[in-house]
Amino acid sequence: MTKHTSRLCKGYLTKKESDGVLHQMTWPPQSPDLNPIEIVVTYAPFTLFPSPVPKDTFHQALAVQTHYNRLVDRISQDSSFLEEALATTIKVDDFTGRLFNIYRHVLQEGKTQSIVLGLNRSDYMLDQNGDGSASLKQIEINTIAASFGGLASHTPNVHRHILKVAGRLEDSKRILDNNPSAGLAKGLAKAWELYGSERAVVLYLVEELQRNIFDHRYVENELWKRNIPVIRRQFEDVAKTGFLDQDKRLFVDGREVAIVYFRNGYMPQNYTEQNWEARLMMERSLAVKCPDISTHLAGTKKVQQELARPGVLERFFPGEPDVVDQIRATFAGLYTLDMGPEGDKTVAMALAKPDQFVLKPQREGGGNNLYGAEICQVLEGVKQSTERMAYILMDKVQPRPVHNYLLRLGTPLKLSTCLSELGVFGAYVRHGQDMVLNECAGHLLRTKSDEHSDGGVAAGVAVLDNPFLV
């Protein structure tokens, strides 16, 4: 760890006061009466070398992203589908139910803003086939607070340098350019431009303690380059100083808000009753929400499972069989746990062969999924109860292991057997019925030791990586 007082580096940042408690960083200090502080900056964890990824499946993931953008957007516009898909989940999962109550409120009142901004990330693993080839299988799609676009924009240069030092100059030239920061900022900038007020700000809605602040800053700096003003506030700030004027324009701390960019609000612990009220106020406002409440719900695990049912994709892409085929080719097996014969069959299947499946609750943020004996423990407790409807079951993807060194502060350096997960960023903007921007915004590779079943970079398990196409 290194102490910094004036410069920020590429990594995580926290502030530790003399009592040893972590707090949000404020620099320079706003009051001379503050306790002495130690500002701790450390690098984001990464692999020593880029990891191999098959060229065909990598390009397949990039090519399907604009279709996934359209799919998420069309789901968000289909209220009857969302009602049907989430009908059982909202009865047993309080968090999803609270989100859905806000959605119903907005529908009944009437949507105020016709500009829709989506910044998502579709995550995949490569499943081994019997013939030795690999199939691209989607793990999930993140429609809120999709992270690491900022840091992923800077890891290519890290691996290029490492390969040069290792004497592999030709290999260093094969590291792909990648700039999700610019791609995500392009979507934000387009929505801000359509909002139509040069004085209105982009509001980053953030946590009190933000360990991943530099990932935010890279995208934020892209906006400042375009002369787009950005402010960072918490739910509590919106609750205390936010209000809607007669035209439902949102003001926070006296500033008109063009876009609310949610980098918080995806987990139950992010909310107090005051925060729920602030979320409702923002959703009712004229500000562009990234994501709006319907797009947030479109990214739930239950919706993912429903999309795998026969005929559902065709509902969203009538007359586009090629698009349906491209999306469906990325689906892993997904199974309902709703009450009834179909759900009973899923429970029996999971209990008979738990190592072949993943049990997923309706949660984001990493570290929530259940595997092996954990599946049996949970399902044995809820198999006769409606509580099982809070989960879905998915086939466990079996990727081919690779070997690499994982560089993480405080962890001994050793050659590890690793598994990688490929993420692809998407950015889209719809104005009314016109899709005015729809792009693949870049990619992300995360790698973890095969000792861990679940967990991302923020959870302290995976590290940042780059694809080395083979």
Side-chain angles (χ1 to χ4, degrees):
M1 292 188 180
T2 56
K3 296 180 182 178
H4 274 247
T5 56
S6 60
R7 288 187 181 178
L8 302 182
C9 74
K10 302 171 186 175
Y12 296 161
L13 181 142
T14 57
K15 184 184 88 172
K16 184 161 62 177
E17 296 194 356
S18 55
D19 60 3
V21 178
L22 293 175
H23 301 268
Q24 183 186 22
M25 184 195 113
T26 302
W27 192 264
Q30 303 299 303
S31 168
D33 298 324
L34 284 176
N35 292 333
I37 62 171
E38 177 184 293
I39 298 175
V40 182
V41 180
T42 183
Y43 62 88
F46 62 100
T47 58
L48 182 60
F49 297 105
S51 295
V53 174
K55 184 184 300 184
D56 290 347
T57 49
F58 175 80
H59 288 297
Q60 178 190 1
L62 266 59
V64 76
Q65 184 58 42
T66 53
H67 300 321
Y68 267 115
N69 292 345
R70 293 167 61 204
L71 176 60
V72 170
D73 185 52
R74 291 178 180 185
I75 293 169
S76 75
Q77 296 179 72
D78 194 329
S79 58
S80 60
F81 175 77
L82 284 174
E83 286 272 4
E84 295 163 9
L86 295 173
T88 56
T89 304
I90 61 177
K91 293 177 181 177
V92 293
D93 187 86
D94 182 64
F95 179 61
T96 308
R98 293 293 296 263
L99 293 172
F100 205 85
N101 286 341
I102 292 176
Y103 172 61
R104 282 175 170 157
H105 185 117
V106 171
L107 278 185
Q108 291 169 2
E109 186 174 87
K111 287 192 175 184
T112 305
Q113 180 55 263
S114 63
I115 302 167
V116 174
L117 167 62
L119 302 179
N120 62 64
R121 194 190 71 228
S122 185
D123 292 334
Y124 306 92
M125 295 184 82
L126 303 182
D127 200 22
Q128 293 184 76
N129 299 324
D131 60 2
S133 62
S135 299
L136 189 74
K137 296 300 177 186
Q138 187 188 58
I139 303 303
E140 64 181 351
I141 189 162
N142 303 274
T143 61
I144 180 170
S147 61
F148 292 108
L151 294 179
S153 301
H154 294 265
T155 55
N157 285 335
V158 173
H159 278 143
R160 287 186 184 117
H161 176 71
I162 290 171
L163 290 172
K164 289 175 184 177
V165 172
R168 295 169 60 179
L169 181 60
E170 289 304 312
D171 285 343
S172 73
K173 297 175 182 177
R174 294 173 59 184
I175 301 299
L176 301 169
D177 289 333
N178 186 34
N179 195 1
S181 292
L184 298 173
K186 185 176 180 180
L188 288 159
K190 185 63 178 179
W192 179 85
E193 174 190 322
L194 290 171
Y195 184 84
S197 173
E198 292 186 357
R199 292 180 298 178
V201 302
V202 174
L203 166 63
Y204 272 59
L205 192 79
V206 298
E207 300 170 84
E208 179 182 5
L209 174 63
Q210 184 57 66
R211 295 182 64 241
N212 201 22
I213 189 171
F214 301 123
D215 185 54
H216 296 195
R217 292 294 192 193
Y218 285 124
V219 180
E220 179 183 331
N221 289 342
E222 292 286 339
L223 297 176
W224 285 112
K225 289 176 186 177
R226 295 167 168 83
N227 298 317
I228 298 174
V230 178
I231 62 173
R232 297 171 62 84
R233 297 292 186 273
Q234 301 169 36
F235 268 118
E236 291 76 9
D237 300 317
V238 176
K240 290 176 183 177
T241 73
F243 67 91
L244 307 184
D245 72 4
Q246 61 185 10
D247 297 316
K248 290 190 179 178
R249 292 184 300 170
L250 174 64
F251 289 83
V252 175
D253 283 338
R255 309 285 298 274
E256 182 180 357
V257 176
I259 299 173
V260 179
Y261 181 23
F262 286 93
R263 295 303 302 250
N264 189 18
Y266 51 88
M267 297 187 291
Q269 53 266 41
N270 300 148
Y271 291 88
T272 62
E273 285 303 315
Q274 182 186 57
N275 293 358
W276 281 116
E277 292 173 8
R279 178 73 187 262
L280 176 59
M281 178 175 65
M282 290 184 283
E283 293 293 341
R284 294 179 59 238
S285 77
L286 187 65
V288 179
K289 279 70 67 175
C290 181
D292 62 18
I293 192 68
S294 59
T295 305
H296 186 170
L297 291 169
T300 54
K301 303 298 188 292
K302 183 59 179 176
V303 166
Q304 181 188 12
Q305 179 254 306
E306 288 294 318
L307 289 172
R309 290 186 179 278
V312 175
L313 282 179
E314 286 82 356
R315 171 176 180 164
F316 296 104
F317 294 99
E320 298 185 75
D322 290 345
V323 172
V324 169
D325 290 345
Q326 287 180 60
I327 294 175
R328 186 167 285 141
T330 68
F331 284 175
L334 292 153
Y335 312 95
T336 182
L337 283 162
D338 287 353
M339 304 307 290
E342 188 179 2
D344 292 342
K345 182 180 178 182
T346 299
V347 171
M349 185 172 63
L351 291 175
K353 297 181 178 179
D355 290 335
Q356 294 184 12
F357 301 99
V358 182
L359 188 64
K360 293 187 166 189
Q362 311 298 316
R363 295 292 179 268
E364 303 297 335
N368 299 301
N369 297 333
L370 302 169
Y371 301 82
E374 294 175 320
I375 293 178
C376 295
Q377 182 179 355
V378 171
L379 286 185
E380 286 288 359
V382 302
K383 63 182 181 181
Q384 303 299 331
S385 165
T386 56
E387 291 180 34
R388 78 188 197 190
M389 299 189 302
Y391 300 86
I392 67 164
L393 192 74
M394 189 180 86
D395 285 342
K396 186 178 179 182
V397 178
Q398 305 289 347
R400 184 189 302 277
V402 298
H403 293 92
N404 213 325
Y405 295 89
L406 308 182
L407 304 182
R408 185 188 290 111
L409 187 71
T411 302
L413 186 64
K414 65 176 183 177
L415 186 64
S416 299
T417 303
C418 302
L419 307 174
S420 296
E421 184 171 315
L422 175 67
V424 181
F425 294 97
Y428 67 88
V429 178
R430 175 170 51 82
H431 192 193
Q433 294 304 310
D434 298 326
M435 188 72 85
V436 296
L437 185 147
N438 181 16
E439 296 183 358
C440 172
H443 60 269
L444 165 72
L445 193 69
R446 290 168 296 172
T447 296
K448 64 186 177 185
S449 168
D450 68 351
E451 299 170 340
H452 301 284
S453 296
D454 191 28
V457 178
V461 174
V463 306
L464 299 173
D465 199 349
N466 275 299
F468 187 82
L469 300 188
V470 294

